[in-house]
Amino acid sequence: MAFHLFGKKRKAQTVPEKIPAHVAFIMDGNGRWAKKRGLPRTAGHRAGVITIRRVIRHCCDRGVKAVTFYAFSTENWSRPQQEVDTLMDLFVEFIDSEIDELDAQGARVRIIGSRQGLSERVMASIEKAQTRTQNNERIFVNIAFNYGGRAEIAEAVQRMMRDGIGPDEVSEAVIGEYLYTAGQPDPDLVVRTSGEQRISNFLLYQSAYAEYLFPEILWPDVDEEALDGFFAAYAKRDRRFGNAKE
Ligand code: IPE
Ligand code: IPE
Ligand code: MG
């Protein structure tokens, strides 16, 4: 049974009873959002950052335990240099402006992805965010930055071999411990906005049994109501994990 709450606007909201423990977002459509308004793509990325803040707050309110945002893929280096520079700047600005609130919210921030090719300035931001929030326990906030699922698996294998893990010791659980998301639940729900229906190298190992949603909404337009819509759609899914239907 869903129950009802009255939000700020005194509008009845339906709160789905089945909330994903871990929700992951492929934040797509910033460029199209800007184009529709005759703005440069970078304006779309700026608007997208505001959405991240909104989404974290609402996920916290709804009791989500981990939220992951795909912010920059290992493939995104091939974008025009000016756009790459803006995405790097926005990452640093985001950490600077949000870290106090994230910390106060009890968010444990982790930047998941390869460190190869990142500037010292970006590295310093990563260090700052992770160290400052390392003892928080309310919600994991993962930012997938310079992230690629295949690169993550390759890196995990390298580290396992360096640690002298033998063939007989390799198991699904051990691999999980070597991934960037070690210690966190796998995503229950992956949402890719903007209507594109592909995963673009995102959480390949961890999303083995995730439910997927591909809503048409562009990332900067995602608000609390849209999020509750995603959760409601998730609540209706019948997760079987290989079992026969009852
Ligand atoms: C997603 O928006 C943000 C990043 C990939 C960094 P896009 O920039 O891909 O937006 P579209 O797909 O061009 O609309
Ligand atoms: C995926 O979006 C990466 C991020 C959201 C960071 P893209 O827009 O880069 O993906 P493709 O190129 O359309 O697959
Ligand atoms: Mg895109």
Side-chain angles (χ1 to χ4, degrees):
M1 273 282 288
F3 60 95
H4 290 86
L5 276 186
F6 286 91
K8 270 189 220 120
K9 292 179 201 148
R10 311 284 308 161
K11 194 171 115 186
Q13 298 173 338
T14 302
V15 180
E17 76 275 24
K18 204 171 81 180
I19 293 285
H22 184 172
V23 54
F25 295 97
I26 303 177
M27 310 186 281
D28 206 4
N30 293 350
R32 277 162 281 172
W33 183 92
K35 194 171 173 202
K36 265 185 17 192
R37 290 163 176 76
L39 298 168
R41 295 178 57 79
T42 48
H45 296 315
R46 289 193 178 279
V49 174
I50 297 167
T51 303
I52 299 179
R53 183 181 309 151
R54 201 157 55 216
V55 168
I56 295 173
R57 282 193 193 136
H58 198 61
C59 283
C60 252
D61 288 349
R62 289 285 181 259
V64 169
K65 296 289 171 221
V67 56
T68 300
F69 298 96
Y70 202 6
F72 190 85
S73 75
T74 46
E75 287 73 29
N76 287 146
W77 292 107
S78 61
R79 293 193 177 200
Q81 189 60 45
Q82 189 230 347
E83 184 171 350
V84 170
D85 290 346
T86 300
L87 291 166
M88 295 293 145
D89 289 346
L90 282 175
F91 174 80
V92 172
E93 283 172 30
F94 174 79
I95 298 297
D96 282 344
S97 66
E98 300 306 309
I99 197 65
D100 287 340
E101 178 171 345
L102 286 166
D103 192 26
Q105 275 171 327
R108 182 163 171 187
V109 179
R110 237 192 234 178
I111 316 307
I112 62 171
S114 166
R115 302 303 189 232
Q116 263 174 37
L118 297 181
S119 67
E120 276 178 29
R121 193 170 67 109
V122 169
M123 288 296 288
S125 267
I126 292 176
E127 181 60 28
K128 178 169 94 174
Q130 295 191 153
T131 309
R132 169 91 180 267
T133 62
Q134 63 188 349
N135 296 319
N136 292 339
E137 289 181 344
R138 182 161 173 218
I139 185 170
F140 276 109
V141 172
N142 301 312
I143 301 173
F145 196 77
N146 196 18
Y147 176 88
R150 289 183 171 178
E152 175 180 37
I153 293 167
E155 233 184 76
V157 173
Q158 279 180 335
R159 285 193 291 117
M160 281 162 63
M161 294 184 80
R162 284 202 190 101
D163 285 354
I165 307 253
D168 297 334
E169 292 168 282
V170 175
S171 65
E172 293 183 12
V174 170
I175 294 172
E177 283 166 29
Y178 277 86
L179 297 176
Y180 303 131
T181 47
Q184 300 188 26
D186 284 337
D188 299 293
L189 174 64
V190 176
V191 181
R192 181 175 190 142
T193 56
S194 88
E196 306 293 343
Q197 300 192 12
R198 55 178 173 272
I199 54 176
S200 302
N201 207 5
F202 187 52
L203 298 179
L204 298 180
Y205 190 88
Q206 297 90 332
S207 297
Y209 256 106
E211 296 293 330
Y212 282 89
L213 287 176
F214 298 101
E216 292 292 325
I217 192 170
L218 303 176
W219 177 255
D221 290 327
V222 171
D223 59 8
E224 291 78 359
E225 201 182 331
L227 269 172
D228 281 339
F230 304 155
F231 294 149
Y234 169 77
K236 285 199 201 116
R237 295 282 175 95
D238 175 20
R239 301 187 81 191
R240 300 212 200 123
F241 300 101
N243 285 316
K245 190 164 171 60
E246 291 188 2

